[in-house]
Amino acid sequence: MKRLKRPVRRGLLVAHVAVSVSRLGLTVGLLALGITAFTTSDPATVGAATRALKIFGDWLVVPVALLAPVTGLVLALGTPWGLARHRWVWTTFWPTLITTGLSIFSLRPGIDAAAADGAVGINLVIAPSVATGTYLFITAISILKPWGLTQRGRRLRFSASSAKSVDARSPRQTA
């Protein structure tokens, strides 16, 4: 893929970080509503919490779940970070993809079922709890960027440095 120009890359990076942080906040909100609806015995509170879960589920879960991996993938493919060059990118990509699938195909239907029943099961406490932990892990990895290059990244860096050293010895100007 062609490298993104700086203004596009920066705008996409802002969008990716905003969506990722929104995903974490949304999940914490879903967790708070799930805990409230699961632990209370007040029918009015359960009803309000399930209605709020339904609103978040209908309007936010799917778009936010899809935007995080899409913006991340475009950034990975359009910047020198690459998708499989650095372990931290690869490590954050797979949990993001898995949680996206779970959000769309498990969490959203679970929210719909809870809203239809007017009661929340333990699954709407466990799922946001696990998702919150996963998003915190992904956030930490994205900030700390541990582990260095993958084998593919080392191979690409070596081949790039070899090409530069050959070009440096050449009397002709290269592109």
Side-chain angles (χ1 to χ4, degrees), residues 32-156:
L33 290 168
I35 289 171
T36 300
F38 185 71
T39 59
T40 190
S41 58
D42 179 25
T45 304
V46 172
T50 56
R51 283 191 306 278
L53 281 166
K54 177 81 170 126
I55 291 169
F56 286 140
D58 287 348
W59 289 96
L60 295 174
V61 168
V62 173
V64 171
L66 289 173
L67 281 172
V70 168
T71 56
L73 186 61
V74 173
L75 275 170
L77 297 176
T79 64
W81 288 106
L83 183 60
R85 290 183 182 187
H86 295 80
R87 284 191 178 97
W88 76 269
V89 176
W90 198 240
T91 302
T92 59
F93 176 72
W94 289 109
T96 300
L97 207 57
I98 291 166
T99 55
T100 297
L102 290 172
S103 294
I104 294 168
F105 299 112
S106 181
L107 180 62
R108 175 89 195 290
I111 290 171
D112 289 344
D117 297 344
V120 170
I122 190 71
N123 59 331
L124 284 182
V125 174
I126 294 172
S129 298
V130 171
T132 299
T134 303
Y135 300 148
L136 287 171
F137 170 76
I138 291 169
T139 301
I141 296 303
S142 298
I143 292 168
L144 299 175
K145 297 173 180 51
W147 308 312
L149 296 171
T150 62
Q151 187 173 2
R152 179 178 188 275
R154 284 191 297 275
R155 190 173 53 251
L156 289 171

Side-chain angles (χ1 to χ4, degrees), residues 5-15 75:
K5 294 191 184 299
R6 186 174 186 199
V8 174
R9 180 185 53 82
R10 293 178 96 186
L12 194 59
L13 180 61
V14 168
L75 275 170

Side-chain angles (χ1 to χ4, degrees), residues 155-166:
R155 190 173 53 251
L156 289 171
R157 182 173 284 173
F158 177 75
S159 66
S161 66
S162 297
K164 284 181 185 176
S165 65
V166 169

